[in-house]
Amino acid sequence: MLHHTKNKGDIAATKAMADLTLKGYLVLTPLVCEHLPFDFVVYKDDKFYKIQAKYAGDNRVVNKTIWVDKNGTHQKKYKVNDFDFYAVYLPDIDKVVYPSIKFDGCYITTQIPNSATPFYWWEDFTGFTEAASKRTYKEFGVNLTTRKVNPDSRIHTRKVERPSKEELEKLVWEKPTAQIGRDFGVSDKAVEKWCKAYGVEKPSRGYWVKKAYGKVKGHLTTHEEG
């Protein structure tokens, strides 16, 4: 049983490392200590992220670590600073998702449920995700009476990877929200939701008009409005 569990953990870590490498991250793996609260570290754009890989056959984000030694079976719940993001391997769809440690204990759905209960959808976690809204069956065109899905109604499901908080903070000061939306293939409302979810401050109203006339530079808006 222990060997089987370790195999699943190895599969999750391997899948995550391959996926993150393709996403442009440098993967750093511990060589000595096996008792760290994270499995590996990735690096990109001058930032390090501690990653805990999990194999989620039941789609649940496990919030504890379990191990066995000569004294029996032990378990320990993760603490908020143990790592930054999970790398959760979902074997039913062969995908890895990256919820932050804040999502511990949650379920990430890969099949549209026949229920009116809101749920977390896997496509909203394909990048490092600190905040996500729960979905409802209506967004997927599900008819709970017939249990059928209208694929043409999936207009609200996000099919693009949301930029990181750092990337979004930079983008909102480089170009208008509408342009950012066009670049990512989403609406300006979607970009506004990203900002709200991350707590990213946007330029004040009229900023881009003033900038077009050379009245503002970068973030310097307060004293130049006078």
Side-chain angles (χ1 to χ4, degrees), residues 131-147:
S133 300
K134 285 191 173 182
R135 301 287 192 166
T136 66
Y137 68 95
K138 292 181 180 179
E139 295 181 58
F140 293 81
V142 175
N143 185 319
L144 291 185
T145 301
T146 62
R147 306 301 186 190

mmCIF file of all heavy atoms in Angstrom, residues 131-147:
data_model
loop_
_atom_site.group_PDB
_atom_site.id
_atom_site.type_symbol
_atom_site.label_atom_id
_atom_site.label_comp_id
_atom_site.label_asym_id
_atom_site.label_seq_id
_atom_site.Cartn_x
_atom_site.Cartn_y
_atom_site.Cartn_z
ATOM 1 N N ALA A 131 -6.833 32.879 -6.674
ATOM 2 C CA ALA A 131 -8.255 33.153 -6.479
ATOM 3 C C ALA A 131 -9.045 32.623 -7.669
ATOM 4 O O ALA A 131 -8.592 32.703 -8.808
ATOM 5 C CB ALA A 131 -8.493 34.665 -6.334
ATOM 6 N N ALA A 132 -10.197 32.053 -7.389
ATOM 7 C CA ALA A 132 -11.067 31.522 -8.441
ATOM 8 C C ALA A 132 -12.500 31.519 -7.936
ATOM 9 O O ALA A 132 -12.751 31.283 -6.754
ATOM 10 C CB ALA A 132 -10.652 30.116 -8.853
ATOM 11 N N SER A 133 -13.426 31.791 -8.847
ATOM 12 C CA SER A 133 -14.841 31.771 -8.500
ATOM 13 C C SER A 133 -15.425 30.397 -8.802
ATOM 14 O O SER A 133 -14.982 29.716 -9.723
ATOM 15 C CB SER A 133 -15.600 32.830 -9.308
ATOM 16 O OG SER A 133 -15.090 34.122 -9.042
ATOM 17 N N LYS A 134 -16.412 30.012 -8.012
ATOM 18 C CA LYS A 134 -17.077 28.744 -8.288
ATOM 19 C C LYS A 134 -17.996 28.891 -9.494
ATOM 20 O O LYS A 134 -18.580 29.962 -9.713
ATOM 21 C CB LYS A 134 -17.882 28.281 -7.070
ATOM 22 C CG LYS A 134 -17.009 27.729 -5.952
ATOM 23 C CD LYS A 134 -17.838 27.033 -4.885
ATOM 24 C CE LYS A 134 -16.945 26.343 -3.873
ATOM 25 N NZ LYS A 134 -17.722 25.604 -2.844
ATOM 26 N N ARG A 135 -18.122 27.838 -10.269
ATOM 27 C CA ARG A 135 -18.970 27.818 -11.452
ATOM 28 C C ARG A 135 -20.349 27.269 -11.102
ATOM 29 O O ARG A 135 -20.547 26.674 -10.041
ATOM 30 C CB ARG A 135 -18.335 26.933 -12.526
ATOM 31 C CG ARG A 135 -16.957 27.357 -12.969
ATOM 32 C CD ARG A 135 -17.005 28.586 -13.819
ATOM 33 N NE ARG A 135 -15.738 28.838 -14.482
ATOM 34 C CZ ARG A 135 -15.606 29.691 -15.478
ATOM 35 N NH1 ARG A 135 -16.654 30.351 -15.946
ATOM 36 N NH2 ARG A 135 -14.423 29.887 -16.032
ATOM 37 N N THR A 136 -21.289 27.446 -12.051
ATOM 38 C CA THR A 136 -22.607 26.830 -11.909
ATOM 39 C C THR A 136 -22.932 26.096 -13.204
ATOM 40 O O THR A 136 -22.342 26.373 -14.256
ATOM 41 C CB THR A 136 -23.704 27.872 -11.646
ATOM 42 O OG1 THR A 136 -23.860 28.709 -12.798
ATOM 43 C CG2 THR A 136 -23.359 28.736 -10.433
ATOM 44 N N TYR A 137 -23.846 25.160 -13.112
ATOM 45 C CA TYR A 137 -24.208 24.361 -14.286
ATOM 46 C C TYR A 137 -24.722 25.234 -15.432
ATOM 47 O O TYR A 137 -24.566 24.892 -16.602
ATOM 48 C CB TYR A 137 -25.260 23.311 -13.909
ATOM 49 C CG TYR A 137 -26.610 23.876 -13.551
ATOM 50 C CD1 TYR A 137 -27.620 23.981 -14.504
ATOM 51 C CD2 TYR A 137 -26.882 24.324 -12.262
ATOM 52 C CE1 TYR A 137 -28.855 24.510 -14.188
ATOM 53 C CE2 TYR A 137 -28.116 24.853 -11.930
ATOM 54 C CZ TYR A 137 -29.101 24.945 -12.899
ATOM 55 O OH TYR A 137 -30.322 25.476 -12.579
ATOM 56 N N LYS A 138 -25.330 26.383 -15.109
ATOM 57 C CA LYS A 138 -25.896 27.258 -16.147
ATOM 58 C C LYS A 138 -24.817 27.774 -17.093
ATOM 59 O O LYS A 138 -25.077 27.992 -18.279
ATOM 60 C CB LYS A 138 -26.623 28.432 -15.497
ATOM 61 C CG LYS A 138 -27.885 28.042 -14.735
ATOM 62 C CD LYS A 138 -28.559 29.264 -14.145
ATOM 63 C CE LYS A 138 -29.826 28.882 -13.393
ATOM 64 N NZ LYS A 138 -30.481 30.061 -12.781
ATOM 65 N N GLU A 139 -23.607 27.994 -16.577
ATOM 66 C CA GLU A 139 -22.524 28.512 -17.409
ATOM 67 C C GLU A 139 -22.092 27.517 -18.471
ATOM 68 O O GLU A 139 -21.448 27.881 -19.455
ATOM 69 C CB GLU A 139 -21.324 28.876 -16.533
ATOM 70 C CG GLU A 139 -21.588 30.008 -15.560
ATOM 71 C CD GLU A 139 -20.357 30.334 -14.733
ATOM 72 O OE1 GLU A 139 -19.324 30.665 -15.332
ATOM 73 O OE2 GLU A 139 -20.427 30.246 -13.502
ATOM 74 N N PHE A 140 -22.438 26.258 -18.287
ATOM 75 C CA PHE A 140 -22.051 25.216 -19.224
ATOM 76 C C PHE A 140 -23.221 24.753 -20.099
ATOM 77 O O PHE A 140 -23.091 23.799 -20.855
ATOM 78 C CB PHE A 140 -21.481 24.017 -18.458
ATOM 79 C CG PHE A 140 -20.178 24.314 -17.768
ATOM 80 C CD1 PHE A 140 -20.156 24.974 -16.550
ATOM 81 C CD2 PHE A 140 -18.972 23.964 -18.344
ATOM 82 C CE1 PHE A 140 -18.969 25.258 -15.906
ATOM 83 C CE2 PHE A 140 -17.768 24.245 -17.707
ATOM 84 C CZ PHE A 140 -17.766 24.895 -16.495
ATOM 85 N N GLY A 141 -24.344 25.427 -19.978
ATOM 86 C CA GLY A 141 -25.499 25.071 -20.780
ATOM 87 C C GLY A 141 -26.131 23.752 -20.382
ATOM 88 O O GLY A 141 -26.720 23.065 -21.214
ATOM 89 N N VAL A 142 -26.013 23.383 -19.111
ATOM 90 C CA VAL A 142 -26.565 22.110 -18.647
ATOM 91 C C VAL A 142 -28.054 22.271 -18.342
ATOM 92 O O VAL A 142 -28.472 23.201 -17.676
ATOM 93 C CB VAL A 142 -25.838 21.623 -17.382
ATOM 94 C CG1 VAL A 142 -26.500 20.357 -16.845
ATOM 95 C CG2 VAL A 142 -24.374 21.358 -17.689
ATOM 96 N N ASN A 143 -28.834 21.336 -18.843
ATOM 97 C CA ASN A 143 -30.265 21.267 -18.524
ATOM 98 C C ASN A 143 -30.429 20.183 -17.466
ATOM 99 O O ASN A 143 -30.262 18.997 -17.746
ATOM 100 C CB ASN A 143 -31.067 20.920 -19.778
ATOM 101 C CG ASN A 143 -32.569 20.965 -19.519
ATOM 102 O OD1 ASN A 143 -33.047 20.519 -18.491
ATOM 103 N ND2 ASN A 143 -33.312 21.506 -20.488
ATOM 104 N N LEU A 144 -30.727 20.582 -16.238
ATOM 105 C CA LEU A 144 -30.803 19.613 -15.153
ATOM 106 C C LEU A 144 -32.002 18.673 -15.292
ATOM 107 O O LEU A 144 -32.053 17.633 -14.640
ATOM 108 C CB LEU A 144 -30.873 20.331 -13.805
ATOM 109 C CG LEU A 144 -29.597 21.069 -13.366
ATOM 110 C CD1 LEU A 144 -29.762 21.629 -11.966
ATOM 111 C CD2 LEU A 144 -28.392 20.142 -13.415
ATOM 112 N N THR A 145 -32.939 19.025 -16.139
ATOM 113 C CA THR A 145 -34.106 18.156 -16.336
ATOM 114 C C THR A 145 -33.746 16.985 -17.258
ATOM 115 O O THR A 145 -34.042 15.827 -16.981
ATOM 116 C CB THR A 145 -35.281 18.944 -16.944
ATOM 117 O OG1 THR A 145 -35.604 20.023 -16.068
ATOM 118 C CG2 THR A 145 -36.496 18.046 -17.116
ATOM 119 N N THR A 146 -33.074 17.307 -18.370
ATOM 120 C CA THR A 146 -32.716 16.263 -19.335
ATOM 121 C C THR A 146 -31.303 15.721 -19.115
ATOM 122 O O THR A 146 -30.919 14.720 -19.702
ATOM 123 C CB THR A 146 -32.792 16.818 -20.769
ATOM 124 O OG1 THR A 146 -31.838 17.890 -20.908
ATOM 125 C CG2 THR A 146 -34.183 17.361 -21.063
ATOM 126 N N ARG A 147 -30.514 16.413 -18.254
ATOM 127 C CA ARG A 147 -29.119 16.045 -17.982
ATOM 128 C C ARG A 147 -28.251 16.155 -19.235
ATOM 129 O O ARG A 147 -27.225 15.503 -19.355
ATOM 130 C CB ARG A 147 -29.017 14.613 -17.419
ATOM 131 C CG ARG A 147 -29.878 14.362 -16.199
ATOM 132 C CD ARG A 147 -29.508 15.297 -15.067
ATOM 133 N NE ARG A 147 -30.250 14.947 -13.849
ATOM 134 C CZ ARG A 147 -30.295 15.693 -12.748
ATOM 135 N NH1 ARG A 147 -29.626 16.833 -12.718
ATOM 136 N NH2 ARG A 147 -30.981 15.330 -11.693
#
